[in-house]
Amino acid sequence: MSTLTWIIVASLLGGILSLLCAAILAFNMRVSWLSILVSYAIGALLGAAFLNTLPEAFALSENPMQVTVTVLIGILIFFILEKLVLWRHCHIEDCEAHDPLHGSAATDTNQNEHDHGRSGMMVIVGDTFHNFVDGILIAAAFIVDVQLGIVTSIAIIAHEIPQEAGDFIILLNSGYTRRMAFLMNLLSSLATLVGGVLAYFMLYKMNFLIQPLLGLASASMIYVAMSDLIPSLHKRPEINATIQQVALILLGISTIWLMGNIFPHD
């Protein structure tokens, strides 16, 4: 096969295989486990940001402040984006800004009543940036050597599975149906193919995009974990729930760390 064919096949298979594996993991859990596994999703997001995308961004930048500024700007962008989504819903239906019971036990039983899919949308936007960069990395590896490209693709798939599973959990917790969660993740995964094909034809012109895209992807993961998901855990302040939450967050982080050590793709 030609190099371009390898890139297309690897990008498509990489996105689809990681998506299917993540869907199998996320969709086979009980509905009652959803709020519990949000803690795992938090760990997966933070692990992906601090153990994967941010180190790669720093490695590509001669000035670390460029990365931190990109992340800072990204967090502000996602804050504004979330505000716009909230503003839209506040004009078409009741929302948390108008709900005097927001944060009380009345809304604890149904996260969907006040989330309006915001955290899910933030995750998809950030994951799209990340997938686009993955496509560039796959293309760069295949251009150097087919074997290196295959190894890199396998590593990227392994990295993506726990993160994609976390994304599914967040989308379901955010109010999306399983079908819609799958379709949104599928569309996001196509960014890998777009990044790979574009990189094949103009890699020398796209190198400058990798560092800021990794920074924006990191910003989305950090923002969703810290702003949208962690506050929901404080609704269960009892010691047993706290221990469970911390354990699952550490499990999510450990999964990303383990995959990174078993399948390094730098």
Side-chain angles (χ1 to χ4, degrees), residues 6-7 10-11 14 138 141-142 147-159 265:
W6 274 110
I7 293 172
S11 298
I138 288 173
F142 272 110
Q147 184 176 354
L148 177 62
I150 294 173
V151 171
T152 300
S153 300
I154 293 173
I156 287 175
I157 293 171
H159 277 87
H265 66 280

Side-chain angles (χ1 to χ4, degrees), residues 4-259:
L4 179 59
T5 303
W6 274 110
I7 293 172
I8 293 174
V9 171
S11 298
L12 283 175
L13 285 181
I16 293 174
L17 286 177
S18 61
L19 184 64
L20 288 176
C21 291
I24 291 171
L25 290 174
F27 291 167
N28 284 333
M29 65 184 178
R30 297 179 181 177
V31 176
S32 59
W33 294 358
L34 187 57
S35 61
I36 296 175
L37 291 179
V38 167
S39 300
Y40 174 84
I42 291 171
L45 285 176
L46 293 178
F50 288 103
L51 302 180
N52 189 346
T53 55
L54 273 179
E56 289 182 18
F58 279 118
L60 293 171
S61 177
E62 296 180 358
N63 184 2
M65 185 171 289
Q66 291 179 347
V67 179
T68 57
V69 169
T70 302
V71 173
L72 184 60
I73 293 173
I75 290 174
L76 180 59
I77 289 173
F78 285 108
F79 169 75
I80 295 172
L81 182 60
E82 188 172 27
K83 279 287 189 179
L84 291 175
V85 175
L86 179 60
W87 176 84
R88 174 178 174 271
H89 281 285
C90 283
H91 282 73
I92 61 176
E93 58 180 292
D94 291 338
C95 68
E96 60 192 78
H98 304 148
D99 186 1
L101 296 179
H102 173 58
S104 68
T107 58
D108 288 353
T109 57
N110 191 350
Q111 179 83 3
N112 303 340
E113 289 180 4
H114 57 80
D115 184 71
H116 297 300
R118 298 197 318 274
S119 57
M121 188 185 68
M122 300 296 112
V123 162
I124 290 299
V125 171
D127 200 33
T128 300
F129 289 138
H130 197 179
N131 290 336
F132 185 81
V133 172
D134 284 344
I136 296 175
L137 296 176
I138 288 173
F142 272 110
I143 289 172
V144 173
D145 179 69
V146 171
Q147 184 176 354
L148 177 62
I150 294 173
V151 171
T152 300
S153 300
I154 293 173
I156 287 175
I157 293 171
H159 277 87
E160 285 295 313
I161 290 173
Q163 183 184 328
E164 293 282 0
D167 290 351
F168 273 116
I169 293 168
I170 294 167
L171 286 166
L172 295 175
N173 186 69
S174 190
Y176 292 93
T177 63
R178 294 186 175 190
R179 180 174 179 272
M180 184 58 67
F182 186 86
L183 289 176
M184 290 185 69
N185 267 303
L186 179 61
L187 288 175
S188 176
S189 69
L190 293 178
T192 304
L193 176 62
V194 175
V197 173
L198 286 178
Y200 174 79
F201 289 106
M202 47 186 298
L203 183 62
Y204 67 98
K205 294 182 179 179
M206 296 185 64
N207 282 336
F208 75 97
L209 288 176
I210 298 179
Q211 183 266 316
L213 286 174
L214 287 172
L216 289 174
S218 301
S220 74
M221 297 173 195
I222 296 169
Y223 182 84
V224 169
M226 303 300 294
S227 174
D228 290 331
L229 300 183
I230 284 182
S232 69
L233 301 187
H234 295 319
K235 296 174 182 177
R236 298 181 59 201
E238 58 272 19
I239 187 64
N240 289 339
T242 301
I243 292 174
Q244 181 186 70
Q245 291 164 357
V246 171
L248 285 169
I249 289 173
L250 290 175
L251 179 61
I253 294 173
S254 299
T255 304
I256 298 296
W257 176 84
L258 185 62
M259 287 297 183

